[in-house]
């Protein structure tokens, strides 16, 4: 099976005043289709930067990033934008819902480029257990419910990859565990690869594959989740 992602020698530098920050330092990585991967590490370890490169939100300073045989480093901006729209679903710590739109409208707005689909949006809310909350505004939903809406929105375009950056960071541990389990379940049902960045080792342990990051590097061997 061909890897979904292949990264070779990936380095990302940021300039902060006179200081050069090496956010990623020679990352070599392959991710297979259908995997559920946790990028685990403390703040500043490089996991968010790596997630941004995997989602075609940024380009490396050096190295190669290949996705389904496409060179993400060399693709023009308009092709990267189309790839982000059609192939990637994003879930963030802050939920990023539009406060003036209901739950179903927040999912439906993601489908506007393809003509919009209220029935599809309602189906996805049902899958995440929020069918009865479809007409509620984000302010009337709990944090866990808002993140479920965000997951439904991310899955609305049937993405090849779901990229989640600290998706449980604003949730209590029990709700966070439910969100990770839901991501795993839905990704399996939809055939998506899921890559989650988290600082929480207990949540990372729920993923079948764990990649530990420190100081911009992958450290140790990928750790399987306990049986």
């Amino acid at each position: 099976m061909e890897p979904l992602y292949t990264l070779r020698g990936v380095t990302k530098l940021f300039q902060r005043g006179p200081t050069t920050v090496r956010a990623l330092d020679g990352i070599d990585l392959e991710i297979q289709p259908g995997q559920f991967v946790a990028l685990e590490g403390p703040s500043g370890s490089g996991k968010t930067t790596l997630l941004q490169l995997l989602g075609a939100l940024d380009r490396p300073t050096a190295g190669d990033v290949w996705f389904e045989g496409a060179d993400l480093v060399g693709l023009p901006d308009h092709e990267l934008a189309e790839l982000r729209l059609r192939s990637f679903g994003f879930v963030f710590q802050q939920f990023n819902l539009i406060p003036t739109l209901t739950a179903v409208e927040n999912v439906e707005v993601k489908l506007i480029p393809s003509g919009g689909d209220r029935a599809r949006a309602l189906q996805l809310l049902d899958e995440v257990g929020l069918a009865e909350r479809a007409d509620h505004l984000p302010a009337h939903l709990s944090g866990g419910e808002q993140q479920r809406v965000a997951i439904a929105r991310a899955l609305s375009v049937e993405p090849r990859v779901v990229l989640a950056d600290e998706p449980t960071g604003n949730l209590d541990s029990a709700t966070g565990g439910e969100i990770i389990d839901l991501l795993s379940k839905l990704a399996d049902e939809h055939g998506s690869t899921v890559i989650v960045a988290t600082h929480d080792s207990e949540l990372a342990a729920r993923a079948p594959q764990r990649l530990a990051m420190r100081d911009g590097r992958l450290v140790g061997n990928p750790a399987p989740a306990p049986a």
Side-chain angles (χ1 to χ4, degrees):
M1 179 184 297
E2 289 294 319
L4 184 70
Y5 283 102
T6 301
L7 281 67
R8 294 288 180 262
V10 171
T11 297
K12 182 64 179 180
L13 306 179
F14 293 102
Q15 201 68 32
R16 293 179 180 168
T19 303
T20 299
V21 177
R22 190 174 290 268
L24 295 177
D25 189 7
I27 297 288
D28 294 324
L29 176 63
E30 289 186 354
I31 296 176
Q32 301 298 326
Q35 283 189 314
F36 189 107
V37 181
L39 298 174
E40 177 190 351
S43 177
S45 61
K47 58 187 186 298
T48 293
T49 301
L50 179 55
L51 210 66
Q52 290 174 338
L53 297 185
L54 295 175
L57 294 168
D58 200 358
R59 301 176 195 263
T61 304
D64 299 311
V65 181
W66 294 85
F67 172 72
E68 293 187 327
D71 176 11
L72 298 188
V73 178
L75 283 182
D77 288 345
H78 72 277
E79 291 189 30
L80 287 179
E82 181 68 17
L83 194 64
R84 287 193 296 270
L85 180 65
R86 304 296 180 188
S87 295
F88 302 135
F90 298 94
V91 180
F92 303 98
Q93 178 176 343
Q94 301 295 337
F95 317 136
N96 290 354
L97 301 181
I98 300 172
T100 56
L101 298 183
T102 64
V104 68
E105 289 168 342
N106 265 282
V107 178
E108 191 176 9
V109 73
K110 177 74 171 178
L111 295 165
I112 287 177
S114 58
D117 190 336
R118 174 60 64 96
R120 170 74 175 148
L122 288 169
Q123 174 194 343
L124 285 162
L125 286 178
D126 185 47
E127 288 187 33
V128 300
L130 286 182
E132 296 181 355
R133 310 284 279 169
D135 293 327
H136 287 67
L137 294 172
H140 300 150
L141 300 173
S142 69
E145 288 172 336
Q146 290 186 60
Q147 195 60 291
R148 287 172 182 265
V149 175
I151 292 170
R153 180 183 59 191
L155 290 169
S156 63
V157 294
E158 294 291 342
R160 299 283 292 115
V161 185
V162 175
L163 298 141
D165 190 8
E166 296 285 3
T168 65
N170 286 334
L171 306 174
D172 62 75
S173 59
T175 304
E178 292 172 2
I179 291 298
I180 294 297
D181 291 343
L182 178 65
L183 273 170
S184 178
K185 171 179 174 289
L186 292 176
D188 184 60
E189 292 175 354
H190 288 259
S192 299
T193 298
V194 175
I195 306 170
V196 177
T198 181
H199 67 276
D200 191 321
S201 59
E202 290 186 10
L203 293 177
R206 294 173 180 259
Q209 184 176 7
R210 300 166 65 183
L211 300 175
M213 294 197 69
R214 299 292 186 277
D215 300 321
R217 301 182 183 95
L218 294 173
V219 295
N221 295 319

